[in-house]
């Protein structure tokens, strides 16, 4: 038996207090490292690889094993590194400012877990206390990959609109290139907690957008509406714009197109056009926004 399996399951027992039942919202306990059971006997199995499925109903999603495998390859190529370094630095600043000893970080919309895994790895040795990462995604395929790759992180198949955690459990919520649910993010953050959201900038993957879309309006993208919506729910503490280019091989370009939603409704002919253009670099453009949940006084 793989010796890491008990360690993976033990994380749920050690951190049972952060969870609540996604059905009835009551407290839970972990029994025999195999099941999470709430006060009303709703029971959820902990998988052998060390993840738990807390969805209350089946959900269809565009995100499959092939897509997440491609994202993992792109992540390993260093494509996201400057953005992940920025997110790590912002977490470290927050931890040091509030002298947080044991840090709990939730990645809401974590995919196959590579972003959270890299961020936590970069924080080891810089934070004096413990770091507990928790990753949530609606895709079982993504969480399965994550649980095999990062055994020291808690992985959950769950809906960000119904997070299976008690109020005020996290110091940081990450939301990287993923949809948001600000009500739930606000609920699970503690009083000093921050939300770090990463949003594509106007030039993000512009080389692909210019070929994919005939309509010039679709080629132009602005994230201002997303930022305005953020401001309606969270008070912005910091904002950083990240802009760089990445050299890319033809194989990695295929993986990049496979993983980005920009290509989902694009014809095979357009995909071939991209591959035949001999594109060897891609523009990467992000806005990273840090926010604190709105208090009553903020809303006056």
């Amino acid at each position: 038996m793989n010796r890491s399996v008990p360690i993976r399951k033990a994380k749920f027992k050690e951190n049972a207090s952060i969870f609540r039942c996604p059905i009835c919202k009551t407290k839970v306990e972990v029994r025999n490292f195999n099941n999470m059971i709430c006060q009303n006997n709703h029971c959820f199995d902990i998988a052998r690889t060390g993840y738990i499925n807390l969805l209350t109903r089946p959900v269809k999603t565009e995100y499959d094993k092939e897509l997440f495998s491609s994202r993992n390859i792109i992540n390993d190529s260093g494509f996201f590194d400057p953005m992940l370094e920025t997110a790590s630095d912002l977490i470290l600043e927050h931890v040091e400012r509030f002298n947080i000893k044991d840090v709990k970080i939730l990645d809401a919309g974590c995919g196959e877990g590579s972003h959270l895994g890299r961020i936590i790895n970069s924080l080891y040795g810089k934070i004096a206390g413990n770091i507990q990462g928790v990753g949530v995604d609606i895709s079982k395929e993504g969480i399965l990959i994550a649980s095999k790759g990062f055994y020291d992180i808690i992985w959950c198949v769950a809906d960000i609109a119904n997070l299976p955690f008690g109020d005020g459990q996290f110091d940081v919520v990450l939301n990287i290139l993923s949809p948001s649910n600000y009500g739930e993010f606000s609920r699970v953050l503690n009083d000093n907690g921050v939300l770090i959201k990463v949003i594509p900038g106007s030039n993000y993957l512009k080389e692909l957008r210019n070929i994919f879309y005939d309509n010039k309006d679709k080629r132009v993208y602005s994230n201002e509406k997303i930022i305005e919506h953020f401001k309606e729910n969270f008070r912005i503490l910091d904002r950083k714009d990240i802009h760089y280019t990445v050299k890319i091989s033809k194989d990695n370009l295929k993986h990049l197109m496979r993983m980005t939603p920009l290509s989902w409704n694009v014809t095979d002919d357009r995909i071939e056009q991209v591959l035949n253009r001999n594109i060897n670099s891609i523009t990467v453009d992000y806005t990273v926004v840090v926010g604190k949940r709105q208090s009553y006084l903020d809303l006056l």
Side-chain angles (χ1 to χ4, degrees):
M1 182 177 177
N2 188 329
R3 292 181 180 180
S4 66
V5 170
I7 297 174
R8 288 168 172 163
K9 290 193 171 188
K11 287 291 179 183
F12 289 93
K13 194 171 186 68
E14 292 168 7
N15 293 277
S17 62
I18 73 172
F19 286 91
R20 74 177 192 183
C21 176
I23 298 172
C24 65
K25 319 304 183 192
T26 61
K27 293 182 179 180
V28 302
E29 62 176 282
V30 174
R31 296 180 184 172
N32 302 318
F33 301 103
N34 292 318
N35 309 104
M36 185 177 286
I37 303 173
C38 78
Q39 295 173 357
N40 290 318
N41 290 319
H42 297 122
C43 183
F44 305 89
D45 295 334
I46 301 171
R48 185 185 64 82
T49 55
Y51 75 88
I52 192 165
N53 190 335
L54 293 166
L55 285 178
T56 57
R57 57 184 175 80
V59 175
K60 290 184 178 180
T61 172
E62 298 280 352
Y63 295 88
D64 57 17
K65 184 177 181 179
E66 188 176 275
L67 182 150
F68 285 123
S69 295
S70 288
R71 194 173 102 162
N72 224 347
I73 290 168
I74 293 299
N75 194 69
D76 288 343
S77 76
F79 186 90
F80 298 107
D81 282 1
M83 177 268 288
L84 296 177
E85 289 169 10
T86 298
S88 297
D89 290 344
L90 289 167
I91 292 172
L92 187 60
E93 286 176 18
H94 178 65
V95 168
E96 290 176 344
R97 179 184 178 191
F98 289 97
N99 195 28
I100 302 169
K101 298 301 182 185
D102 296 319
V103 185
K104 290 186 174 67
I105 303 170
L106 171 65
D107 186 356
C110 65
E112 89 302 345
S114 55
H115 291 339
L116 181 59
R118 282 177 176 264
I119 287 171
I120 288 180
N121 285 342
S122 74
L123 290 172
Y124 283 134
K126 299 176 183 176
I127 292 176
N130 295 321
I131 307 171
Q132 182 58 64
V134 180
V136 165
D137 201 276
I138 206 166
S139 169
K140 181 180 175 181
E141 291 289 353
I143 293 297
L144 179 59
I145 294 170
S147 67
K148 292 177 179 179
F150 305 94
Y151 70 86
D152 54 346
I153 295 173
I154 295 171
W155 301 108
C156 308
V157 185
D159 189 349
I160 63 168
N162 181 28
L163 290 171
F165 309 110
D167 297 354
Q169 294 298 322
F170 294 96
D171 303 288
V172 178
V173 171
L174 293 169
N175 187 228
I176 300 174
L177 305 174
S178 177
S180 301
N181 187 292
Y182 293 117
E184 282 293 87
F185 296 170
S186 178
R187 183 182 66 78
V188 300
L189 280 168
N190 59 37
D191 289 342
N192 290 325
V194 291
L195 169 63
I196 299 175
K197 182 171 178 62
V198 180
I199 309 162
S202 58
N203 289 313
Y204 185 62
L205 308 185
K206 66 178 183 180
E207 294 83 0
L208 302 185
R209 189 180 286 110
N210 287 342
I211 298 173
F212 285 163
Y213 302 128
D214 288 325
N215 188 329
K216 290 184 179 179
D217 289 341
K218 285 191 174 183
R219 293 181 183 178
V220 178
Y221 166 76
S222 171
N223 60 22
E224 286 306 314
K225 286 185 178 179
I226 296 174
I227 294 172
E228 284 301 314
H229 187 46
F230 185 104
K231 289 167 63 176
E232 291 169 4
N233 294 274
F234 276 72
R235 178 162 52 89
I236 292 181
L237 304 177
D238 198 357
R239 171 176 171 168
K240 295 185 183 296
D241 295 313
I242 307 169
H243 185 92
Y244 57 97
T245 57
V246 174
K247 291 183 178 179
I248 195 162
S249 68
K250 193 167 186 177
D251 283 342
N252 277 358
L253 185 60
K254 290 179 183 178
H255 287 297
L256 180 64
M257 287 191 290
R258 190 176 294 153
M259 61 154 271
T260 175
L262 287 177
S263 67
W264 288 357
N265 295 315
V266 173
T267 65
D268 291 341
D269 287 344
R270 287 296 166 92
I271 298 292
E272 282 301 313
Q273 283 184 39
V274 173
L275 294 175
N276 292 332
R277 290 286 183 92
N278 295 318
I279 295 172
N280 55 25
S281 65
I282 290 289
T283 302
V284 188
D285 185 16
Y286 303 113
T287 299
V288 184
V289 189
V290 183
K292 197 172 186 299
R293 63 184 184 180
Q294 300 277 21
S295 68
Y296 174 72
L297 291 177
D298 291 326
L299 295 173
L300 288 178

